Amino acid sequence: MPSDIYPDSGCRLPLPRREDMDEAGRAMFDRHSDPKGGTLAGLRGPGGLRMHSPKLAELENALNRYLRYGAGFSGAVRELAILVTAREMDSAFEWAAHETQALKDGVPQAAVDIVKHRRPVEGLTDTEAAIIRLGREMLGARKVSAGTFAAARKIFGDRGLIDLVSLAVFECQVPEGKPVLPR
């Protein structure tokens, strides 16, 4: 691990301390600490670090819950979008946190492997291909082609497209023993 990484958080900031928080911050801390609290990574992830700024954590938590559970995406769509983002950003932490969840939520192993190894999207459904192309172009090429945009808009509509591109990642280090992405 790089020398500027805190072992407790796996990031460049230490985990926030519960005793340093106000009542609302402690309640959020407790939710993140609870294995059934709705976060895949618990405190050791972006949600835990955001608690250094309690108001931001509260707002981000609401946005995250909306994008994950209120936007109307199936688990497979949501998790594939997160995996594409993680891969394009080379965010090993997000990949490790979401690969297993993606498979549980119905993302086919073939689609996971295509994203993981940056292979062509042939053989996938139109929806899977659109999510992967959109993420690759938006984050990798930093420009989305008219054809990719039109395909994604046709599948998701205007609101769904905005919600889809709003799924994002935060760079953290992979916990020891978790799989890492190939370079």
Side-chain angles (χ1 to χ4, degrees), residues 85 87-90 118 133-145:
T85 303
R87 187 62 183 120
E88 290 305 306
M89 302 298 291
D90 285 329
R118 295 188 164 117
R133 285 187 181 113
L134 181 66
R136 285 176 174 175
E137 290 181 20
M138 181 176 62
L139 299 167
R142 305 219 195 301
K143 183 167 178 68
V144 176
S145 70

Side-chain angles (χ1 to χ4, degrees), residues 6 27 32 38 54 60 66 68 88 90 97 113 128 142 170 180:
Y6 285 83
H32 279 278
E60 183 70 28
Y66 168 74
R68 287 182 163 206
E88 290 305 306
D90 285 329
D113 290 343
E128 292 161 351
R142 305 219 195 301
F170 190 99
V180 295

Side-chain angles (χ1 to χ4, degrees), residues 31-181:
R31 277 195 305 275
H32 279 278
S33 299
D34 180 358
K36 296 177 184 170
T39 124
L40 295 177
L43 288 173
R44 189 178 170 143
L49 288 178
R50 283 190 195 102
M51 284 189 270
H52 282 287
S53 175
K55 185 62 178 173
L56 175 63
E58 177 185 330
L59 294 168
E60 183 70 28
N61 194 36
L63 176 62
N64 190 34
R65 285 192 185 284
Y66 168 74
L67 289 173
R68 287 182 163 206
Y69 309 113
F73 296 129
S74 69
V77 165
R78 177 190 68 239
E79 293 299 322
L80 182 58
I82 291 169
L83 286 183
V84 172
T85 303
R87 187 62 183 120
E88 290 305 306
M89 302 298 291
D90 285 329
S91 178
F93 179 88
E94 287 294 325
W95 187 273
H98 288 274
E99 180 179 19
T100 301
Q101 188 64 46
L103 294 168
K104 285 180 188 173
D105 282 349
V107 177
Q109 183 69 58
V112 171
D113 290 343
I114 282 170
V115 173
K116 182 186 273 188
H117 300 288
R118 295 188 164 117
R119 295 181 185 143
V121 297
E122 282 75 31
L124 298 180
T125 68
D126 290 344
T127 299
E128 292 161 351
I131 293 167
I132 295 168
R133 285 187 181 113
L134 181 66
R136 285 176 174 175
E137 290 181 20
M138 181 176 62
L139 299 167
R142 305 219 195 301
K143 183 167 178 68
V144 176
S145 70
T148 295
F149 180 84
R153 187 176 185 200
K154 181 178 179 183
I155 292 167
F156 297 106
D158 292 351
R159 194 205 88 216
L161 183 58
I162 292 298
D163 289 345
L164 186 65
V165 300
S166 296
L167 290 169
V169 298
F170 190 99
E171 179 70 17
C172 293
Q173 302 299 310
V174 177
E176 209 171 301
K178 292 285 188 173
V180 295
L181 286 170

Side-chain angles (χ1 to χ4, degrees), residues 5-27:
I5 300 298
Y6 285 83
D8 67 337
S9 68
C11 298
R12 289 187 169 137
L13 288 175
L15 288 178
R17 295 172 356 134
R18 186 180 189 281
E19 58 270 19
D20 294 339
M21 297 179 180
D22 63 14
E23 187 176 332
R26 287 191 299 273

